[in-house]
Each structure stands twice: as structure tokens, then as C-alpha cells.
Amino acid sequence: MTLTRQRILIFALAALAAVALLLMLLMRVQGPAVTGTGTGGAPDIGGPFSLTDHHGRRITEAALTGHLTLIYFGYTSCPDVCPVELQNIGAAFDRLNGEDPEKLARLQGFFITVDPERDTQAALADYMPNFHPKIAGLTGSPAETAAAARAYKVYFNKAQAAPGEKSYLVDHSGIVYLMGPDGKFLAHFSPNTPPDQIAAKLRDYLF
Ligand code: NI
């Protein structure tokens, strides 16, 4: 090989390496569709929480173990979005009637309030019977519910009430999360996902 050909070869290899590096950088910049854990696995949704359900039982992330859990954040004074979403979750559970009862026993839903000042245990005890019995309402101190919302990357913001107005709205994200029996994130559903679609996903993971 002549010196010139060797140089051309080295130049070509360097150019190839540069292109490969550029491609890798571009893919990095574009990144995955959901924010990752850094391990390249499921998004970093979930984690420790400590709340009280509408029966007064302490519920932590340990309650996810061995279950398929749908988790939704909202509040009982929500005029329309939350009731519809809770109805959809209940309807999805109902679509699975007829499956093995042992498997169905592993299904559960958690409705976690972003309005703990109004959504006391007593308020949730009044509200939850409107929905599927598998859905438990969870509340806690403002710090506890905020910590849970943070773990699930849920945004919420208490809107300023009009002057003289006692009632207020709480703006909040409306994503439903599906968590697996190891407490890890499996899937999410955007607001107003049809119950059939949620049920199909539950069936995929039912064990
Ligand atoms: Ni709502």
C-alpha cells in the first residue's frame, strides 16, 4: 500500500467515525419519548408514598406489591374530568368480569387527592361509593399528598378563587398510571382513554 492510499484510508475511516459519532449525538439529543430513568428502562414514575384510604387504613407503596394498580390523581370537587375518569377506570374493571376471580382480586385502583384540605378521609368516604368498589380514595397531609404527586410526576395547582368565592378549582394532570406487581411503572393512559382500551391493557398484564 502506498503512503497516499494509506492516508486516504485513514481519512475515510476518520470520516466514518465522525459520522457515526454525529449520529449518536443526534439520537441522544432527540432522546426517548418519555423521560427515562437513565437505565434505558421504564420511565421514572412512582416511588414511596404514605397516605390514608377512605376507610382510614394507612396505604404505602407496599400496597402495590402483588397487584395490578391503576393510579389517578384528582379531587372530589372536580366538576367533570375526575368523575369521568373514575367512571372509566371502574368501567375498565367491569369489562374484565368473567376472568379468573383470583386474577381479578389482584386488580385495584387508587384515587389520590391533590386537594387534601377539602378531601379529608370523611369526604372521600362520602365520595368513593359513587365509583367502582376496587377504587380506594387516598388522602393525607398536604406534604404527604404533594410527595405522592411528585413521585408520580403529577402536576397540580390550586387556582385562585374569585373574590368572595369560597370554592376553588385545582388544575391537575389527568394521566392514569398502570403499576405492576413489583410497584414499577407499566403503562399510562391519557385523559379520557376509552374503558375498552384500558381493559385490554389490563388483560395483557393480568396474572
Ligand atoms: Ni379533576
Side-chain angles (χ1 to χ4, degrees), residues 2-3 23 29 40 54 64 75 83 90 95 134 155 160 167 175 191:
T2 67
L3 196 62
L23 278 174
V29 168
H54 65 284
L64 303 182
Y75 66 113
R95 299 285 198 281
K134 281 186 180 296
Y155 157 85
Q160 198 77 340
S167 67
I175 289 174

Side-chain angles (χ1 to χ4, degrees), residues 72-75 77-83 111 114 170-174:
Y72 178 69
F73 287 75
Y75 66 113
S77 318
C78 183
D80 44 20
V81 179
C82 285
F111 173 56
V114 293
V170 183
D171 193 20
H172 66 93
S173 37

Side-chain angles (χ1 to χ4, degrees), residues 4 12 58 63 90 102 119 154 161 173 175 180 207:
T4 322
R58 204 69 191 164
E102 239 177 83
D119 290 345
V154 165
S173 37
I175 289 174
F207 63 98

